């Protein structure tokens, strides 16, 4: 089953300035300088306490297919500078023709819970190549991680209820719709209404029917009977087109006919009005009529807050259809992931560490060949410590809060840990297996189960501790002081 759309050449899917910088490296003879970039974000979306990493599968497809096709080069040849003369020399375009990704990628597996400032993807290789990858990698990881996180929040709200993703009609175009369906499934949805996503990614597809079906008949009961007749093994009836309580009664009548033919009324759907009140009334009517197995689907501009509220109100909904607020990440439509240079190998062969200064401490980048060490105990994850692989912690270790050096945590050499970034590419060759989308989805739930409930709450969540290993903290501090002195 093809898992992606990204396995054709998409090397022009980048910002022009990446290609002009690549040209600059080529022209100045520095294209091959070995460098390290980290992709990370600074703040959780939705004022939450966790983020779900997602999008690596698309990154792998993108990099595997990475090359400039003849028509890409032809297009680049047509580009001109402000004076109308060609932007790029032909020699550069010849160089691009033979360019393939030849570097190393280390990344956090999809479905891992991650925290601010931790590298999700680390790219190491010739600087020209690393530079070209900034925009596509951010495009592929930011959106999917955002939607997977939103879906994980919906899953937390819904508990063990069924979550259906209904968002395609409101999604940000074709790729937005497809990748949102994929990420929503990974984050915890059970199925999607998006049939192409079902085909491409192997996600279960589910659906009910629209108001137009009911409206196309002279009366509602007739519409239900015909629907149940033609699709007897997939009957969820939308009951709110005219009068919801009467709609439930009509669904029960259609359900009786279905039952006489050996089928079940699977569910009814409520899509307007007071979903708590109406679902409680509908449940009562269904139970009294002998349909305790018939479920109630709720939909209508739902999000994780409304699902939580409706459950508190005792709503009898056990299947939630969620579209717009999920696939558009309505309350925060972007994850602010960034991609920063962290080291360049100088001519003597030593790493020269790099850092971006800022007046805002949160925007100062971290140097180094970063790896994330996640400590855990029998209750779950304790803390994440970012360290430089060139100076790995040996034995007992101290982690320092980068925004308040007086806040420190000490770990003995026996504290169990796992290093999060795994080798994905080595010298341009894919070295990692790709888990199935179902395994990634399971990983999300497994990971969330390791987080303290305070980190998962929607309001003022507890901050999971992330810090720098002491040698890396020192390196960063020294670099900041050195740059400020300059
Ligand atoms: N009991 C409830 N508590 C809180 N919010 C609710 C409750 N019932 C429904 N809602 C939400 O209130 C919002 C109001 O929706 P809207 O104004 O569209 O209602 P409606 O008029 O019933 O629907 P429609 O316009 O589709 O006919 C929706 O987001 C809906 O999910
Ligand atoms: O509300 P969402 O979370 O986006 O879920 C998808 C919605 O799409 C459909 O109706 P549509 O919005 O097209 O029309 P309606 O508002 O008139 O029901 C469906 O009935 C849901 O309400
Ligand atoms: O199948 C459904 O009920 C559905 C699909 C898309 C959008 N709203 C509802």
């Amino acid at each position: 089953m093809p898992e992606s759309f990204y396995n054709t050449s998409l090397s022009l899917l980048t910002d022009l300035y990446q290609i002009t910088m690549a040209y600059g490296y080529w022209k100045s003879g520095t294209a091959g300088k070995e460098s390290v970039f980290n992709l990370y974000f600074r703040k959780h979306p939705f004022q939450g306490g966790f983020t779900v990493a997602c999008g690596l599968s698309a990154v792998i497809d993108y990099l595997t297919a990475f090359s400039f096709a003849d028509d890409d080069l032809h297009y680049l040849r047509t580009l001109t500078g402000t004076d109308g003369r060609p932007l790029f020399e032909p020699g550069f375009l010849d160089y691009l023709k033979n360019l393939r990704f030849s570097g190393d990628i280390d990344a956090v597996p999809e479905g891992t819970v991650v925290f601010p400032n931790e590298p999700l993807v680390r790219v190491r290789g010739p600087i020209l190549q690393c530079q070209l990858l900034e925009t596509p990698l951010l495009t592929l990881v930011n959106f999917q991680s955002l939607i997977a996180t939103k879906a994980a929040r919906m899953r937390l709200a819904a508990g063990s209820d069924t979550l259906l993703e209904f968002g395609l009609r409101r999604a940000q175009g074709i790729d937005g719709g497809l990748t949102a369906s994929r990420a929503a499934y990974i984050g915890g949805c059970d199925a999607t209404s998006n049939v192409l996503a079902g085909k491409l990614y192997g996600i279960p597809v589910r659906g009910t029917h629209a108001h137009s079906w009911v409206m196309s008949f002279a009366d509602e009961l007739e519409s239900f009977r015909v629907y149940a007749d033609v699709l007897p093994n997939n009957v969820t009836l939308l009951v709110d087109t005219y009068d919801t309580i009467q709609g439930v009664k009509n669904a029960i009548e259609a359900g009786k006919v279905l039952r006489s033919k050996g089928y079940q009324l699977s569910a009814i759907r409520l899509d307007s009005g007071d979903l708590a009140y109406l679902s409680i009334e509908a449940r009562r009517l269904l139970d009294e009529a002998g349909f305790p197995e018939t479920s109630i689907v709720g939909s209508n501009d739902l999000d994780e807050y409304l699902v939580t509220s409706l459950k508190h109100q005792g709503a009898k909904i056990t299947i939630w259809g969620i579209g717009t607020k999920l696939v558009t990440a309505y309350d925060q439509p972007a994850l602010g992931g960034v991609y920063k240079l962290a080291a360049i190998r100088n001519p003597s062969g030593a790493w020269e560490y790099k850092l971006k200064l800022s007046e805002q401490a949160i925007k100062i980048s971290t140097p180094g060949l970063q790896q994330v060490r996640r400590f855990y105990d029998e209750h779950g994850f304790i803390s994440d410590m970012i360290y430089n692989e060139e100076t790995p912690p040996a034995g007992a270790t101290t982690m320092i809060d980068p925004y308040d050096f007086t806040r420190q945590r000490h770990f003995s050499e026996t504290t169990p840990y796992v290093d999060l970034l795994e080798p994905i590419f080595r010298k341009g060759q894919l070295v990692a297996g790709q888990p199935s989308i179902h395994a990634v989805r399971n990983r999300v739930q497994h990971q969330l189960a390791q987080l303290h409930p305070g980190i998962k709450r929607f309001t003022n969540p507890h901050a999971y501790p992330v810090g720098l290993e002491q040698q890396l903290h020192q390196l960063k501090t020294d670099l900041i002081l050195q740059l400020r002195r300059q």
Side-chain angles (χ1 to χ4, degrees):
M1 168 100 42
E3 275 245 338
S4 176
F5 252 22
Y6 307 101
N7 42 17
T8 62
S9 165
L10 284 173
S11 50
L12 297 191
L13 186 74
T14 194
D15 293 307
L16 177 63
Y17 80 165
Q18 312 292 10
I19 303 182
T20 52
M21 283 187 278
Y23 181 60
Y25 291 129
W26 175 79
K27 186 93 178 138
S28 61
T30 55
K33 263 197 166 186
E34 191 178 8
S35 62
V36 177
F37 285 70
N38 296 307
L39 187 157
Y40 62 97
F41 63 88
R42 301 186 180 110
K43 201 168 175 294
H44 290 301
F46 319 119
Q47 300 181 356
F50 69 89
T51 297
V52 175
C54 193
L56 178 61
S57 164
V59 169
I60 291 173
D61 287 345
Y62 180 89
L63 285 170
T64 306
F66 181 83
S67 66
F68 287 83
D70 286 344
D71 56 338
D72 297 335
L73 297 168
H74 180 75
Y75 172 70
L76 291 178
R77 202 168 291 131
T78 67
L79 299 184
T80 53
T82 45
D83 63 357
R85 282 189 266 187
L87 206 48
F88 306 117
E89 281 177 20
F92 176 61
L93 301 178
D94 289 343
Y95 174 87
L96 292 185
K97 190 176 170 62
N98 298 314
L99 188 68
R100 299 290 180 276
F101 179 62
S102 65
D104 296 349
I105 301 275
D106 292 81
V108 165
E110 281 196 294
T112 305
V113 291
V114 286
F115 300 92
N117 303 314
E118 298 177 350
L120 274 51
V121 183
R122 190 181 79 200
V123 184
R124 172 176 175 171
I127 192 161
L128 179 149
Q129 295 180 28
C130 296
Q131 187 68 64
L132 283 174
L133 296 180
E134 170 175 3
T135 307
L137 263 49
L138 288 170
T139 305
L140 296 171
V141 172
N142 272 331
F143 182 66
Q144 290 206 45
S145 299
L146 181 77
I147 302 301
T149 307
K150 192 66 168 165
R153 292 164 62 85
M154 309 258 179
R155 165 53 63 209
L156 286 171
S160 58
D161 293 349
T162 300
L163 263 184
L164 306 178
E165 178 266 303
F166 281 169
L168 180 57
R169 67 192 58 201
R170 304 278 153 57
Q172 323 294 27
I174 297 173
D175 183 64
L178 286 171
T179 50
S181 294
R182 177 182 189 274
Y185 180 69
I186 285 174
C189 286
D190 294 288
T192 178
S193 63
N194 182 343
V195 185
L196 183 55
K199 176 184 166 216
L200 287 174
Y201 303 130
I203 305 171
V205 289
R206 289 272 299 273
T208 73
H209 67 76
H211 296 112
S212 51
W213 174 266
V214 178
M215 291 151 68
S216 72
F217 288 81
D219 74 275
E220 188 182 58
L221 180 55
E222 178 64 3
S223 81
F224 287 172
R225 281 203 185 115
V226 175
Y227 195 79
D229 205 36
V230 295
L231 283 152
N233 55 358
N234 185 43
V235 186
T236 295
L237 299 171
L238 175 60
V239 295
D240 72 336
T241 306
Y242 304 120
D243 173 291
T244 302
I245 297 301
Q246 185 55 46
V248 178
K249 291 177 180 164
N250 285 339
I252 288 169
E253 288 312 304
K256 287 178 183 165
V257 179
L258 250 186
R259 186 173 279 167
S260 71
K261 295 177 181 169
Y263 294 97
Q264 281 303 319
L265 174 60
S266 174
I268 61 161
R269 175 158 76 101
L270 303 172
D271 189 44
S272 58
D274 184 327
L275 294 176
Y277 168 78
L278 289 171
S279 64
I280 290 165
E281 283 304 296
R283 181 76 274 151
R284 187 176 60 75
L285 290 171
L286 286 165
D287 290 350
E288 284 172 7
F291 287 86
E293 307 296 330
T294 299
S295 308
I296 301 177
V297 183
S299 56
N300 189 16
D301 278 338
L302 296 174
D303 61 15
E304 66 270 44
Y305 305 105
L306 275 174
V307 171
T308 305
S309 163
L310 286 163
K311 285 176 84 79
H312 280 148
Q313 294 172 55
K316 298 293 183 191
I317 294 166
T318 55
I319 304 176
W320 305 87
I322 308 191
T324 312
K325 301 267 167 76
L326 171 53
V327 303
T328 65
Y330 204 75
D331 47 341
Q332 189 186 323
L335 175 68
V338 295
Y339 181 83
K340 298 292 171 198
L341 178 65
I344 293 186
R345 212 187 268 287
N346 67 26
S348 72
W351 286 110
E352 202 176 298
Y353 292 111
K354 297 289 177 181
L355 168 154
K356 158 83 179 72
L357 271 185
S358 170
E359 288 308 309
Q360 293 166 260
I362 194 177
K363 288 202 164 179
I364 299 179
S365 64
T366 301
L369 282 68
Q370 294 167 33
Q371 172 60 280
V372 184
R373 184 155 292 184
R374 175 163 291 170
F375 294 100
Y376 60 90
D377 64 15
E378 68 278 18
H379 304 298
F381 302 151
I382 310 173
S383 304
D384 287 3
M385 181 181 75
I386 304 168
Y387 71 92
N388 180 8
E389 275 188 352
E390 294 292 294
T391 54
T397 172
T398 298
M399 167 179 124
I400 302 175
D401 181 336
Y403 307 117
D404 178 356
F405 71 90
T406 62
R407 287 160 65 102
Q408 308 194 345
R409 283 181 179 232
H410 308 282
F411 300 101
S412 80
E413 55 204 80
T414 58
T415 312
Y417 67 80
V418 57
D419 282 347
L420 294 188
L421 282 94
E422 297 179 355
I424 308 295
F425 282 85
R426 284 292 175 268
K427 295 190 187 331
Q429 297 302 310
L430 182 63
V431 293
Q434 277 185 268
S436 75
I437 191 171
H438 314 294
V440 176
R441 180 173 180 273
N442 288 339
R443 180 177 177 87
V444 174
Q445 296 312 315
H446 200 260
Q447 291 265 306
L448 286 171
Q450 307 300 310
L451 292 184
H452 187 276
I455 294 163
K456 294 181 277 191
R457 69 173 174 246
F458 298 152
T459 314
N460 300 323
H462 183 71
Y464 177 83
V466 178
L468 301 184
E469 185 271 339
Q470 54 192 345
Q471 300 167 85
L472 179 57
H473 181 263
Q474 195 57 50
L475 173 72
K476 182 171 182 176
T477 309
D478 292 346
L479 258 181
I480 295 172
L481 291 172
Q482 188 186 320
L483 289 167
R484 293 230 154 107
R485 273 198 293 269
Q486 282 170 16

